[in-house]
Amino acid sequence: MVGPLAAGTLVEVAHWRWVFLIVALFSSVALIGLLRTVRHIPRPAEAHPTAAIGRRGWWAVVAAAALLVLHIGSGQPMPHAAIWPTIGVVALIAVAVRLLPRGTLRGAAGAPRLIGLRGILGAAVAATDVYIPLYLQAEQGVRPAVAGFLVAVGAIGWLIGAIAQGRLESRADPRTLLRYAFILALVGPIGATAVIAGSAPIWLIAVSSIATGAGMGIAYPVVTSTTLQLSPPDQHGFYSSSLQAAESMATSAFLAATGLMLTTLSTNSYTLTYALIVTLAVLAVLLGWRAVDLPRPSPRSGQ
């Protein structure tokens, strides 16, 4: 909730490198705590590693390598900036076919569509938030702390949305909740684009961030719970982890692509980049509009 504001304040009072040092420190502490916790969890007698789990672990390593190629390649001079990201995207798609449930990449009915939806929505919202502070500082001369605050207020909307979803869950149709949630999530990219295009005041970013946060607070629990309802009970772990994997891969790939646009386009780079972000958000809305009323998916993995 305070991450963007804290990062902006650190940039002002210290240096931007401190942000990454602190992230590394807290991540290390979290990892140590996780490993110690997992070590004390008793394993059921019937639990044992399977070949499928082992293969997915190796495919996950390959996916991480593909994302690394994507991000490093996007920062290289042309023509390498076009060649290496293309290789990374192709490799990532090939890996996603093996890591995610069958039909995820083509939006097949049921849980696979919801998993793909989570990836698209997460990528659009993450890209919206990532570049706004950069634009405000580089193009508008806004202080880093203020730029971070305008994005951080979105957490207020997320909190409101999560509370509303919890109260409405037992009475509202999931399809209705998702439709309202995705329309709200679309407000953020549209508001940011309007500000960048010069047709709206800067404060609109804060308002649109709150609206998008509210949409995310509603959408995430609904997508997760509905995915589990539509997935085979004995594969709940696979489907729930696929939600996170799809979002991580989609977000990383989309950030690499939009980052490449910002660095290579000579004019209107922010406007064109946010036009692409809005396009992805609209795709999420269209997919979310019909994502719940779907038949049960096949339990098998692969595309």
Side-chain angles (χ1 to χ4, degrees):
M1 293 178 68
V2 299
L5 177 59
T9 303
L10 270 174
V11 171
E12 285 193 19
V13 302
H15 195 277
W16 63 264
R17 288 188 175 88
W18 278 98
V19 176
F20 294 93
L21 290 172
I22 290 177
V23 168
L25 174 63
F26 278 92
S27 298
S28 300
V29 172
L31 178 60
I32 292 171
L34 175 64
L35 294 176
R36 293 186 62 180
T37 301
V38 170
R39 188 173 59 186
H40 295 291
I41 296 177
R43 173 184 292 182
E46 68 277 7
H48 60 278
T50 65
I53 293 175
R55 286 195 300 270
R56 287 180 192 141
W58 284 112
W59 282 122
V61 172
V62 176
L67 289 172
L68 187 61
V69 169
L70 242 175
H71 282 271
I72 293 177
S74 63
Q76 303 301 311
M78 286 294 187
H80 300 288
I83 296 173
W84 287 108
T86 301
I87 294 174
V89 168
V90 172
L92 191 63
I93 292 174
V95 173
V97 168
R98 292 163 173 79
L99 277 178
L100 302 177
R102 178 186 296 274
T104 299
L105 297 188
R106 54 184 172 83
R113 181 172 295 172
L114 289 169
I115 292 170
L117 180 61
R118 168 81 174 262
I120 294 173
L121 180 65
V125 172
T128 301
D129 291 346
V130 162
Y131 300 120
I132 278 296
L134 177 63
Y135 167 79
L136 292 175
Q137 294 171 63
E139 304 294 330
Q140 299 292 335
V142 176
R143 289 170 46 207
V146 175
F149 171 77
L150 291 174
V151 175
V153 293
I156 298 174
W158 198 305
L159 177 63
I160 294 172
I163 293 174
Q165 186 276 333
R167 293 180 179 275
L168 295 172
E169 183 178 18
S170 60
R171 303 192 301 271
D173 185 342
R175 290 170 294 185
T176 303
L177 287 176
L178 269 185
R179 287 166 182 171
Y180 282 117
F182 279 76
I183 291 174
L184 284 171
L186 183 60
V187 174
I190 291 177
T193 303
V195 172
I196 290 170
S199 57
I202 289 177
W203 58 259
L204 182 63
I205 291 175
V207 176
S208 59
S209 293
I210 292 174
T212 291
M216 299 294 279
I218 296 172
Y220 268 37
V222 175
V223 168
T224 301
S225 61
T226 308
T227 297
L228 294 179
Q229 290 172 13
L230 294 173
S231 61
D234 62 341
Q235 294 201 29
H236 277 181
F238 169 53
Y239 278 83
S240 60
S241 64
S242 294
L243 286 167
Q244 186 64 47
E247 181 177 0
S248 298
M249 288 189 288
T251 299
S252 296
F254 193 59
L255 287 177
T258 50
L260 180 60
M261 286 184 65
L262 279 176
T263 56
T264 56
L265 294 176
S266 56
T267 58
N268 298 322
S269 59
Y270 282 102
T271 303
L272 293 175
T273 298
Y274 270 85
L276 179 61
I277 294 172
V278 169
T279 301
L280 188 67
V282 169
L283 177 61
V285 172
L286 296 176
L287 195 60
W289 202 260
R290 54 193 292 264
V292 178
D293 191 19
L294 301 166
R296 188 184 184 92
S298 169
R300 292 183 300 165
S301 159
Q303 302 302 323

